[in-house]
Amino acid sequence: NAGVTQTPKFRVLKTGQSMTLLCAQDMNHEYMYWYRQDPGMGLRLIHYSVGEGTTAKGEVPDGYNVSRLKKQNFLLGLESAAPSQTSVYFCASSYGWGADQPQHFGDGTRLSIL
Amino acid sequence: AQSVTQPDIHITVSEGASLELRCNYSYGATPYLFWYVQSPGQGLQLLLKYFSGDTLVQGIKGFEAEFKRSQSSFNLRKPSVHWSDAAEYFCAVGAPEYGNKLVFGAGTILRVKS
């Protein structure tokens, strides 16, 4: 049982390039999330989805777009990468809606923007 | 809005010694409280959670945490640390009115001396 799988694991981009991070979960979870992790700041929510075809903004959505075309996949896009987007990106999913629902995390994507 | 403070950025303990990681939160009522651990190169793994009831909760890997309402704290403890416990630990808070959105502390990096 793979859980939450993120691809790629590492990527280096040049400023202005675009890319898409893929998150896939095999737990039939309804809810999915994208976070970024920066030193000394913990994890901050970028976007989230409450179901197939739906997305919503989190705490730090600027510069990112997301899509949830299939229930098991949640894509995070950077249209024009900036050095400030250098970070480790984590995808998570949860079964239910509510603050008491534990979130299951992938292993992260380390992204560097030069 | 709720917030989470982990006062210690780094903690170093000797193998076999006891451990306490501090977490303080700011929220009007009793939130849902979580501790996650992140091993190097890995995603976040849920250690334990508190929603209500007994204020001392047991988690995986021999960890426990105690909720103290009067101090707005949810400190993580382990009686005897093992070298494999070296990792980064995150406290997180959820509240019903914020849906599934978790607020994370900045994290505490634990180093274990042999």
Side-chain angles (χ1 to χ4, degrees):
Chain A
N1 194 347
V4 179
T5 303
Q6 293 182 232
T7 53
K9 295 189 182 303
F10 305 94
R11 186 74 183 268
V12 178
L13 291 179
K14 295 182 179 179
T15 297
Q17 288 185 316
S18 63
M19 81 160 295
T20 300
L21 280 63
L22 173 63
C23 176
Q25 53 93 4
D26 62 3
M27 296 174 283
N28 200 35
H29 284 175
E30 199 69 35
Y31 308 95
M32 297 186 74
Y33 318 84
W34 275 108
Y35 292 90
R36 59 178 290 171
Q37 181 187 29
D38 301 293
M41 302 188 74
L43 278 74
R44 293 179 292 168
L45 184 65
I46 305 171
H47 285 281
Y48 63 100
S49 169
V50 300
E52 183 178 321
T54 71
T55 63
K57 294 181 179 179
E59 181 185 357
V60 288
D62 293 343
Y64 305 95
N65 57 75
V66 288
S67 63
R68 183 98 180 268
L69 298 180
K70 293 183 179 180
K71 184 177 183 178
Q72 63 268 33
N73 296 337
F74 194 29
L75 279 63
L76 178 71
L78 286 73
E79 289 187 346
S80 179
S84 61
Q85 294 177 305
T86 294
S87 187
V88 181
Y89 292 85
F90 285 99
C91 177
S93 70
S94 66
Y95 178 75
W97 176 255
D100 59 337
Q101 296 294 312
Q103 295 182 16
H104 301 261
F105 287 81
D107 288 345
T109 294
R110 187 172 297 275
L111 183 61
S112 294
I113 315 296
L114 304 178
Chain B
Q2 70 262 43
S3 65
V4 181
T5 302
Q6 292 181 247
D8 304 303
I9 298 174
H10 298 99
I11 283 185
T12 301
V13 299
S14 298
E15 191 169 14
S18 63
L19 170 70
E20 182 169 30
L21 302 182
R22 296 182 291 166
C23 173
N24 292 95
Y25 65 89
S26 173
Y27 181 61
T30 299
Y32 300 117
L33 297 160
F34 305 84
W35 273 101
Y36 284 86
V37 60
Q38 183 183 26
S39 298
Q42 303 293 314
L44 278 70
Q45 181 183 20
L46 181 66
L47 281 176
L48 47 78
K49 57 190 178 184
Y50 173 77
F51 299 154
S52 64
D54 192 345
T55 56
L56 185 64
V57 294
Q58 302 297 320
I60 62 172
K61 304 184 179 186
F63 285 91
E64 65 179 26
E66 185 173 14
F67 169 64
K68 291 186 177 180
R69 185 190 305 274
S70 62
Q71 299 177 16
S72 296
S73 69
F74 188 56
N75 294 349
L76 182 71
R77 301 195 295 245
K78 187 170 185 178
S80 177
V81 168
H82 188 263
W83 64 267
S84 61
D85 293 324
E88 189 163 16
Y89 293 79
F90 292 94
C91 182
V93 167
E97 55 264 47
Y98 296 105
N100 276 23
K101 299 175 190 177
L102 289 178
V103 175
F104 285 83
T108 298
I109 297 173
L110 172 65
R111 299 187 179 115
V112 180
K113 293 189 300 184
S114 57

